Amino acid sequence: MTMTVREVIDRYYDCVNRGDWTGWLELFSDDVVGDEQLAGHFAGIDVLRGAVGGLTSGYSRFNMLPQRVLVDGDAAVVVWRCIAANSHSVPIAYPNDAARLVIGANYFQVQNGKIVYMRTIHDSLPFQPFITQSAS
């Protein structure tokens, strides 16, 4: 049975938050296309398969907590809060305001129970510890 758009979205965040990258990959169509804030434009499931290694080695903690979910037909928007730390356990946070929430949004297009397009939008500044993998 094909999952609804809401079921796909709920499973997406469940898989991310549990670190179930195999389950996460199963949510995408083979010809998925997307635009990711840090990684740029991508096309094809193999790019996401390759990204899993960077996620697992680049973060010691990675949680995306949905704050708002809007589903409209075959599209969905999720506003999320990120609680994460790089591989050295340095928090993903604003450098001069660690208490400031790290928020962003994902836009999804889903067809036949698979994500065919995804866009991630957020401020890149809090993610500098991930980009540089600094220990401080």
Side-chain angles (χ1 to χ4, degrees):
M1 180 179 247
T2 302
M3 288 190 285
T4 67
V5 173
R6 180 60 191 243
E7 289 170 334
V8 169
I9 299 311
D10 289 345
R11 180 144 170 78
Y12 176 96
Y13 290 97
D14 176 61
C15 287
V16 166
N17 292 325
R18 289 185 299 108
D20 177 4
W21 301 111
T22 300
W24 179 76
L25 286 168
E26 291 171 353
L27 297 170
F28 295 92
S29 67
D30 288 344
D31 59 351
V32 62
V33 175
D35 295 289
E36 207 287 321
Q37 188 75 32
L38 300 177
H41 183 76
F42 68 88
I45 192 70
D46 288 337
V47 174
L48 292 180
R49 282 189 186 107
V52 168
L55 289 168
T56 58
S57 67
Y59 289 102
S60 61
R61 177 180 183 185
F62 188 78
N63 296 109
M64 294 175 76
L65 308 172
Q67 306 297 294
R68 301 281 187 271
V69 179
L70 173 66
V71 176
D72 183 16
D74 66 354
V77 174
V78 178
V79 176
W80 45 259
R81 176 178 177 209
C82 182
I83 301 173
N86 76 3
S87 63
H88 301 283
S89 298
V90 176
I92 300 304
Y94 285 90
N96 297 321
D97 188 0
R100 182 176 170 190
L101 298 180
V102 177
I103 59 170
N106 284 69
Y107 170 75
F108 299 91
Q109 289 178 342
V110 178
Q111 294 176 358
N112 301 315
K114 297 284 186 178
I115 299 167
V116 296
Y117 179 79
M118 180 181 79
R119 181 172 190 133
T120 303
I121 303 164
H122 59 79
D123 186 347
S124 299
L125 182 60
F127 289 86
Q128 287 305 308
F130 169 76
I131 294 167
T132 63
Q133 284 302 309
S134 62
S136 59

